[in-house]
């Protein structure tokens, strides 16, 4: 139900909540995992094994892997006009979701900030055309647009700090009491209010997982060939460049570069694709 680095909260089938550690101090458990525990004391246990997962979302740089959540059916990437969201981080999160076999969607929050939200919505049309569903709402006013989408699914909320993920959880579940940050917007930067992933059951078959704000989304675990395939506008062009090992930079006869030419949003996305192919040795997952 919740992961705090090496400590976990596990709810037993009959409802009892346990504080747990992982046997051997391993860090291979994610929020959303189904596990076997051995009781070690009143309200305490140790996680002995992890059941097979149907999905696993994680990010990675050259040295570290960080598990985001296990067994989720869909990822809701939350963006907002304020603080401004990173388009590149959005792209990387969508790539990671597609690569993990999890359905990605975009939630544009804070539509009450009308002018800025309208501009954000306009630039997100690019993603809508690529087939990513876009839900627009104001968690402060009305989150009902999300309810039908959450039915019978395990959903993960991800995104930068300050986008309003926890506010959205509280709007959907008035008893959730997720901590939110009400003072950080002055600097146009979020402040990492949520520090751990937590699963909130909505009903018998639906749950939503809140997660800490992301600044980076390393995809070191994916080969550059794999990441290319998840740029939906370019995937159909792969293999059509003149050179088989084209890096889509300055090579003549590059099919991707030709397709992106004179279209600023495509050019930007091509830059993100190229950035992902450059083996990155700086630790910043
Ligand atoms: N105007 C407006 N502000 C909102 C809305 N939703 C959230 N906020 C504000 O945005 C700020 C950040 O909200 P949080 O819910 O803490 O953001 P978060 O995404 O959970 O951030 P982290 O936990 O740090 O990742 C708070 O000041 C919220 O009150 C909204 O719909 N409209
Ligand atoms: Mg939060
Ligand atoms: Zn090329």
């Amino acid at each position: 139900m919740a992961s705090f680095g090496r400590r976990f909260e596990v709810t037993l089938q009959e409802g009892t909540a346990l504080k747990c550690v992982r046997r051997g101090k391993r860090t291979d458990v994610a929020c959303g995992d189904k596990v076997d525990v051995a009781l070690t004391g009143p309200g305490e246990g140790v996680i002995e094994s992890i059941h097979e997962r149907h999905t696993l979302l994680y990010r990675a740089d050259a040295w570290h892997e960080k598990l985001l959540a296990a067994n989720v059916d869909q990822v809701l990437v939350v963006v907002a006009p304020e603080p401004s969201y990173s388009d590149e981080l959005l792209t990387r999160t969508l790539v990671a979701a597609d690569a993990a076999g999890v359905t990605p969607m975009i939630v544009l929050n804070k539509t009450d900030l009308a002018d800025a939200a309208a501009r954000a919505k306009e630039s997100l049309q690019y993603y809508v055309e690529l087939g990513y569903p876009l839900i627009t709402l104001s968690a402060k006013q009305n989150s009902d647009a999300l309810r039908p989408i959450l039915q019978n699914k395990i959903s993960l909320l991800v995104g930068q700090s300050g986008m309003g993920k926890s506010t959205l959880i509280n709007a959907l579940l008035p008893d959730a009491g997720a901590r939110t940050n009400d003072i950080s917007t002055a600097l146009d930067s979020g402040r990492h209010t949520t520090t751990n992933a937590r699963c909130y059951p909505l009903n018998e078959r639906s749950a939503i997982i809140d997660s800490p704000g992301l600044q980076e989304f390393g995809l070191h675990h994916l080969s550059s060939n794999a990441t290319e395939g998840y740029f939906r506008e370019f995937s159909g062009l792969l293999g059509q460049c003149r050179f088989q090992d084209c890096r889509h930079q300055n090579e003549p006869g590059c099919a991707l570069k030709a397709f992106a030419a004179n279209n600023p949003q495509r050019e930007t996305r091509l830059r993100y694709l190229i950035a992902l192919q450059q083996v990155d040795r700086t630790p910043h997952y």
Side-chain angles (χ1 to χ4, degrees):
M1 300 304 290
S3 68
F4 307 84
R6 290 168 188 277
R7 294 180 303 113
F8 304 92
E9 209 176 285
V10 175
T11 299
L12 300 180
Q13 228 136 31
E14 91 305 312
T16 313
L18 297 178
K19 300 235 174 288
C20 289
V21 292
R22 174 76 170 119
R23 188 170 297 296
K25 295 199 173 151
R26 283 151 64 187
T27 53
D28 55 355
V29 185
C31 188
D33 263 322
K34 293 195 163 64
V35 297
D36 293 316
V37 296
L39 297 177
T40 51
E44 285 178 8
V46 53
I47 295 174
E48 303 241 287
S49 59
I50 305 167
H51 293 204
E52 199 182 324
R53 297 160 167 147
H54 83 270
T55 62
L56 179 65
L57 268 154
Y58 65 104
R59 52 207 178 97
D61 64 19
W63 295 279
H64 309 276
E65 281 180 0
K66 193 142 174 114
L67 306 186
L68 295 180
N71 299 315
V72 303
D73 303 303
Q74 54 191 15
V75 173
L76 308 180
V77 190
V78 184
V79 297
E82 255 180 56
S84 50
Y85 71 90
S86 154
D87 195 48
E88 184 161 20
L89 191 68
L90 171 61
T91 283
R92 284 175 171 244
T93 312
L94 297 172
V95 166
D98 272 339
V102 175
T103 307
M105 296 185 197
I106 304 170
V107 176
L108 173 61
N109 185 28
K110 311 196 189 183
T111 52
D112 51 297
L113 308 174
D115 292 350
R119 281 192 298 278
K121 189 173 176 183
E122 202 175 297
S123 67
L124 290 168
Q125 285 314 303
Y126 184 81
Y127 293 93
V128 173
E129 279 159 32
L130 294 178
Y132 296 105
L134 173 67
I135 301 109
T136 61
L137 51 78
S138 164
K140 281 213 165 154
Q141 292 177 344
N142 191 337
S143 58
D144 289 344
L146 214 48
R147 288 190 196 276
I149 289 154
L150 302 174
Q151 281 311 307
N152 305 326
K153 299 263 165 43
I154 310 292
S155 307
L156 170 68
L157 294 182
V158 293
Q160 284 154 268
S161 189
M163 299 291 109
K165 300 177 292 298
S166 302
T167 305
L168 203 44
I169 295 273
N170 289 335
L172 292 163
L173 291 153
D175 296 333
R179 222 154 61 81
T180 61
N181 181 4
D182 270 319
I183 43 172
S184 72
T185 37
L187 293 169
D188 195 44
S189 72
R191 261 217 298 194
H192 298 283
T193 305
T194 304
T195 50
N196 61 282
R198 175 174 290 278
C199 181
Y200 296 89
L202 292 159
N203 58 42
E204 287 282 293
R205 283 188 309 228
S206 320
I208 186 163
I209 298 178
D210 192 11
S211 72
L214 296 173
Q215 279 176 305
E216 286 288 343
F217 207 121
L219 295 172
H220 209 264
H221 51 298
L222 300 175
S223 72
S224 61
N225 283 347
T227 52
E228 279 185 354
Y230 298 116
F231 282 76
R232 295 179 177 181
E233 67 275 59
F234 300 125
S235 57
L237 298 167
L238 298 175
Q240 292 181 27
C241 301
R242 184 177 308 165
F243 301 109
Q244 225 189 332
D245 60 350
C246 186
R247 310 304 285 171
H248 321 305
Q249 295 183 43
N250 297 306
E251 295 90 339
C254 173
L256 277 61
K257 218 171 152 72
F259 177 72
N262 303 316
N263 180 318
Q265 284 181 298
R266 285 182 193 160
E267 286 176 332
T268 303
R269 287 265 296 180
L270 185 54
R271 273 197 286 110
Y272 301 159
L273 183 154
I274 292 164
L276 271 177
Q277 294 182 326
Q278 270 141 17
V279 179
D280 194 344
R281 297 285 166 204
T282 38
H284 65 184
Y285 62 89

